[in-house]
Amino acid sequence: MPDEDFSIQASALNHWFGTGEARKQALFDIDLRIKRGSFVVMVGASGSGKTTLLTLLGCLREIQDGSVILLGKELRHATPAQNVRLRRRLGFIFQAHNLHESLTARQNVLMGLQVKGHIDKTASDRAAAHVLGLLGLADRLDYLPANLSGGQKQRVAIGRAIVGNPDVVLADEPTAALDWDTAANVVDLLKRLGQARGTSTLMVTHDNRILDRADRVLTLEDGRLVGDEDRRA
Amino acid sequence: MSRLLERLLGRLPIGWLQLVHQRGRFAAALSGVAFANVLVFVQLGLMSSMGVSTLRPYQFFQGDILISAADANTLTEGGNVARQWMLQALADPDVVAGMGLFVALVPWDRGETDISLTTFGIDPFRADFLAPEIAADIGVLQVQDAAILDRLARGLTQEEAAAIRLQTPLSFESQGRTLTAYDTFAGGGGFGGDGYLLVSDQTFLSLFPARSSGAPDHILLRLSPGAQPDAVADRLKTLIADPTLRIRSYADAMDEEVRFQQTQRPTGVIFGFGVLIGVLVGIVIVFQVLSADVADHLREYATFKAMGYGQSFFLGVVVEEAVILGMLGFIPGVIAGWGILTLMARVTTLPLFISFGMAVTVFIGTVVFSALSGMIATRRLAAADPADLF
């Protein structure tokens, strides 16, 4: 049953890759509930199923077994169109920035707003500039990605993910290319979003310094959720 | 341009930005579209010129009905028609006059270049069957071996043509006789001959002694004002029930010959294929460019998919690129096509040009086919799986 307090509710979630004899189970019986506004970090060794779980929670893969309720909507048997609509309420931050090379920093960020429909150009330009300013890129608004450093590109990608005030941010190693001060700034920004707008963040990271700032730390091991530590206390 | 497109599209003009980001590829793509346009324009120009030059000799005359031999697909081909059918046709109350029309190619040895003139033998007393420009000068044809020469014939210089007048006629040998041109008219080279010549029927029969005055190539009829040529032609078909004849209105004869030249003659078919090949080349070029562009941006497109952009957005971006390529590629295409056709017209004296209608048709065709190529290219987007991004 959907619960308004939770952005994400997964129960008895299993997932397999391949077919026939090559079929391999990647996730085993995952039960997970993430509260609105919380900042959750997920850790685990490579191949433990973190990425698979992120893609399932982000409506990027079909749910094969079990249930995922995202923002009150059951994803099992959801149509592609329903998934697309739901993804517009999410913010994705990938390990690779995946910025569009022909668009400036501001234009890349604007793409995160335009997906929500027609928005006044002046207002959206201002919003994009504001977010980039918060990320320390106020002087790089009209730079193409080719003229930005790796860390700057990643910050533009983060700006693109959060400019539309998403309900959930799903992030995969978003701070890997950032120095600690910048990474801390990004984490604080995401946490502020959670407090101000109820945005939940689920972040995959190996950076122990970020673990210290998380509300909750989940640990995945061989496709199983083996640890769930509440750090708010 | 970006701002204009952004206003038009109501979103960032990603297609345009992608195109101008890789200027080398953009220039190559525009050259490709322009090249396809040139191909289409040249072939359409030739096809159109075939239509114009086919109709040119019909414009020398004024008639309502044409009686020809059944195998006369063109004005210059086919068997003869017995003059008696003209007399019989005159029995119809709406047929007021008739004239036999003789046609043959007359060679003219011009020293370095031999040319062939499509020669019409006409009754020099029937000015009412001729276009006003020619009718005014028809009197000179009453003189034996007199001629009115096409001043636009291939091989005839402008100076030579301008010098021809009653006081300074131009004489030349042909078919063993000396013909003298006392005047000129505007004809022009075509696909079947290098120009035209008008002589009297008597002069024509002197040039071709084997031909008989009782068997012209065609019979032209004029009708009383207000008579319907199609209706009269139908009546004449009943009155002259001879299966070896072809009786049709003059307008129908013109349409049928153009259709025959463009669809039955190898040259017409070749030009038609040329247009098709030009269109295909354009489609392939635009498809290749857009397809490569989609492949280059798969990761970015997958990111947009993850963010919630739907298929219509991607279709819009690729079609935006296609339409820009089509529109901008058209400009150098029409300029180069015009230049080439002008040059060809100068060399061949064929009526080669780009009409406004042709330009509009090619422009619309270019944009539509470019958009079509873009739509096909979006099939590659299926490979952009956002789940692979993590």
Side-chain angles (χ1 to χ4, degrees), chain B residues 184-370:
Chain B
T184 62
F185 67 103
F191 288 85
D194 298 307
Y196 297 93
L197 188 69
L198 291 175
V199 296
S200 70
D201 42 10
Q202 293 309 310
T203 300
F204 185 92
L205 293 170
S206 304
L207 288 168
F208 300 95
R211 295 291 302 270
S212 155
S213 63
D217 293 275
H218 305 276
I219 291 169
L220 256 178
L221 300 176
R222 282 181 65 88
L223 305 181
S224 56
Q228 295 296 318
D230 288 330
V232 177
D234 286 341
R235 285 207 304 271
L236 291 178
K237 282 176 196 166
T238 312
L239 185 70
I240 310 170
D242 185 335
T244 65
L245 292 181
R246 208 169 174 181
I247 303 172
R248 58 217 158 127
S249 71
Y250 200 59
D252 281 351
M254 293 163 81
D255 291 345
E256 284 172 19
E257 178 163 349
V258 170
R259 204 159 40 245
F260 174 79
Q261 297 279 9
Q262 291 185 339
T263 61
Q264 303 293 317
R265 277 278 161 82
T267 40
V269 175
I270 287 167
F271 296 153
F273 268 108
V275 173
L276 188 68
I277 287 168
V279 169
L280 288 177
V281 165
I283 288 177
V284 169
I285 287 171
V286 175
F287 171 75
Q288 282 297 339
V289 169
L290 295 180
S291 211
D293 193 65
V294 169
D296 284 353
H297 293 97
L298 270 186
R299 218 168 161 76
E300 287 98 322
Y301 286 145
T303 305
F304 290 151
K305 268 189 185 178
M307 290 163 65
Y309 282 96
Q311 186 63 19
S312 60
F313 166 78
F314 300 108
L315 192 66
V317 170
V318 180
V319 169
E320 174 195 335
E321 286 186 79
V323 170
I324 289 169
L325 283 178
M327 290 173 81
L328 296 186
F330 173 81
I331 297 167
V334 70
I335 293 170
W338 174 82
I340 290 171
L341 285 177
T342 304
L343 193 68
M344 285 170 70
R346 207 166 286 167
V347 173
T348 62
T349 75
L350 285 169
L352 291 162
F353 55 87
I354 294 175
S355 66
F356 180 73
M358 199 192 291
V360 170
T361 306
V362 173
F363 176 71
I364 293 171
T366 305
V367 173
V368 167
F369 282 115
S370 296

Side-chain angles (χ1 to χ4, degrees), chain A residues 88 92 98 100 111 114, chain B residues 12 18 299 305-306 308-309:
Chain A
R88 289 179 189 154
F92 290 98
N98 295 335
H100 200 293
M111 292 307 293
Q114 283 193 353
Chain B
L12 284 174
Q18 268 176 203
R299 218 168 161 76
K305 268 189 185 178
Y309 282 96

Side-chain angles (χ1 to χ4, degrees), chain A residues 51 55 60-61 84 87-88 92 94 98-103 107 111-112 114-115 121 160 172, chain B residues 6 10-12 14 17-18 21 297 299-300 303-309 313 386-387 389-390:
Chain A
T51 301
T55 56
L60 298 177
R61 288 189 201 282
V84 166
R87 285 207 296 265
R88 289 179 189 154
F92 290 98
F94 309 100
N98 295 335
L99 295 182
H100 200 293
E101 59 175 9
S102 323
L103 306 183
Q107 288 169 332
M111 292 307 293
Q114 283 193 353
V115 73
K121 182 173 160 35
R160 181 178 61 188
D172 190 7
Chain B
E6 189 169 351
R11 61 163 170 79
L12 284 174
I14 294 171
L17 294 170
Q18 268 176 203
H21 185 69
H297 293 97
R299 218 168 161 76
E300 287 98 322
T303 305
F304 290 151
K305 268 189 185 178
M307 290 163 65
Y309 282 96
F313 166 78
L389 293 171
F390 278 112

Side-chain angles (χ1 to χ4, degrees), chain B residues 54-188:
Chain B
T54 296
L55 293 178
R56 181 68 56 78
Y58 285 92
Q59 288 154 358
F60 302 156
F61 307 104
Q62 293 193 83
D64 299 306
I65 286 179
L66 189 71
I67 301 178
S68 316
D71 61 349
N73 291 314
T74 72
L75 208 54
T76 54
E77 290 174 354
N80 303 329
V81 182
R83 185 182 287 273
Q84 63 171 12
W85 301 125
M86 182 177 85
L87 302 174
Q88 196 152 350
L90 285 167
D92 187 282
D94 278 330
V95 178
V96 294
M99 180 181 80
L101 189 63
F102 295 87
V103 192
L105 273 179
V106 167
W108 180 8
D109 181 2
R110 304 256 311 146
E112 286 182 5
T113 53
D114 291 346
I115 63 172
S116 294
L117 299 173
T118 303
T119 302
F120 292 100
I122 54 172
D123 182 343
F125 297 98
R126 298 311 308 252
D128 54 329
F129 277 94
L130 297 173
E133 188 209 0
I134 301 169
D137 309 315
I138 191 179
V140 298
L141 296 186
Q142 292 171 30
V143 178
Q144 181 66 27
D145 293 335
I148 304 177
L149 181 63
D150 177 1
R151 60 176 168 267
L152 301 178
R154 278 182 209 122
L156 192 68
T157 64
Q158 281 185 343
E159 293 73 29
E160 272 182 305
I164 298 172
R165 57 184 74 136
L166 268 177
Q167 297 80 4
T168 54
L170 173 70
S171 294
F172 57 96
E173 297 289 323
S174 184
Q175 302 282 91
R177 296 185 71 88
T178 303
L179 293 173
T180 305
Y182 289 99
D183 212 330
T184 62
F185 67 103

